[in-house]
Amino acid sequence: MASQSALNIGQDMAGLESCRTDFAILQQKMNGKRLSFLDSAASAQKPMAVIKAMDDVMLHGYANIHRGLYRFSQDLTLRYEGVREQVARYIGAASEKEIVFTGNATDSINLVAQSYGRAHLKAGDEVILSEMEHHANIVPWQLLREQIGIKIKVIPITDDGALDMQVYASLLTEKTRFVSIVHMSNALGTINPVKDIITKAKAHNPDIKVLVDGSQSAVHSHINVQDLGCDFFVFTGHKLYCAPGLGVLYGRYDVLNSMPPYRGGGDMIESVSFDRSTYKDPPFRFEAGTPPIVSVIGLGAAIDYVNAIGLDAIKRHEYDLMQKMTAGLKSMGDIDIYADIADKGGIVSFNIHGVHASDVGTILDQCGVAVRTGHHCCMPLMSKLGIDGCVRASFALYNNVDDIDQCIEGLYKAKEMLL
Ligand SMILES: Cc1ncc(COP(=O)(O)O)c(C=O)c1O
């Protein structure tokens, strides 16, 4: 359990080893082999502390929230709102009123594009994205482009997999209204200098709004949205050891308050008549209908779990694993590693020369190793790299050196079988 693990923790890899037992699923075999789960960038496994917190609600105190006058509803409402405060602290927001619960990170970005975008942007306004964005931070802006005629500009990546900051500076014009950028790339692991990106945008024009896609970064490092100076920050619960179906949108309060509702329905209104409805203040204005109550309670437990271990220890641990994996791949030879740079987190993407990524993934599966293969929802990035996909190993707090050894062993086998 989290508190126990935290007591054991020595801020080093040995300390985090004990966390593996908090994840029952990792004790299972896959294809008869020890499970080496290296796909946490897609979705992380859940510790018992999170499962128990959600179970406990459903077994002993479930009700809808914000509605009932009876005890279960009132108690759960308080717990739900307590998690909102916890999330605000987790990412350094000024107030819990700046935290909107959504369906996932994708939903959060769609909310911003549709609500902020349709209210504040117009034809010809420029939105800057980057070449390493997840589709979740591309397609919502393309939908907006079709609807109102904005222009999308793209920061290219350099050959080593970083953002080309010189080109970024040149993309800022008098028409730039919005920058929407990923903090840590899910496909490369690159950690982008988002504070610098935000500072440059605001220095160019203080009215430019910046969204940071923290789907990967919020899991591995301390976030302080006030220090970053972003207007929006999004992440998704299932990558932070919580259940799926829950996303977070942070919005600076004055910005959120300038935005119309995204979806209409129960719980987001002050009054409704057939002539006219009026809406609550943020964040409730953006939370129509019954929210993912149980997942929100799970997110509270997940944040407790991660905080008890310590984000600094988690980051160091995953970085160490990433470096060991990189060294193992290099010693194999015949490998292309994408973004072999210092500024990256616990993700390694690669291809074995002459072998298709999906064939590698299939053989690794037989070896008990779960990796992701394909385009990683980053098709424009794959085009830039001149590939149709790659193999990705991603690390979480529960991974260890045995996971890497098992993966490297599987890769030798794949090479032997496929070349
Ligand atoms: C960087 C990044 N952004 C956005 C998303 C979308 O997250 P979700 O599918 O939970 O909305 C992901 C998921 O892989 C991601 O890695």
Side-chain angles (χ1 to χ4, degrees), residues 41-42 104-107 109 134 136 182 184-186 213 215-216 236 238-239 372 392:
N104 46 38
T106 306
D107 194 27
I109 299 173
H134 187 283
V182 69
M184 173 178 165
S185 161
N186 62 301
D213 177 358
S215 301
Q216 298 293 337
T236 196
H238 66 97
K239 296 187 203 284
R372 173 89 185 263
R392 179 187 71 188

Side-chain angles (χ1 to χ4, degrees), residues 373-384:
T373 57
H375 55 62
H376 312 289
C377 296
C378 292
M379 288 174 101
L381 175 65
M382 296 298 123
S383 299
K384 172 65 178 254

Side-chain angles (χ1 to χ4, degrees), residues 175-248:
K175 289 190 173 159
T176 309
R177 292 285 170 273
F178 208 102
V179 178
S180 196
I181 202 86
V182 69
H183 198 173
M184 173 178 165
S185 161
N186 62 301
L188 300 174
T190 306
I191 296 173
N192 290 320
V194 285
K195 189 166 177 182
D196 193 25
I197 289 170
I198 295 162
T199 308
K200 285 200 167 76
K202 302 279 179 184
H204 188 81
N205 176 356
D207 291 336
I208 294 174
K209 299 290 180 280
V210 184
L211 180 150
V212 175
D213 177 358
S215 301
Q216 298 293 337
S217 63
V219 183
H220 311 287
S221 52
H222 287 287
I223 302 295
N224 188 309
V225 289
Q226 293 186 78
D227 180 52
L228 287 177
C230 56
D231 302 282
F232 300 102
F233 185 95
V234 309
F235 67 98
T236 196
H238 66 97
K239 296 187 203 284
L240 188 58
Y241 307 103
C242 178
L246 169 63
V248 170

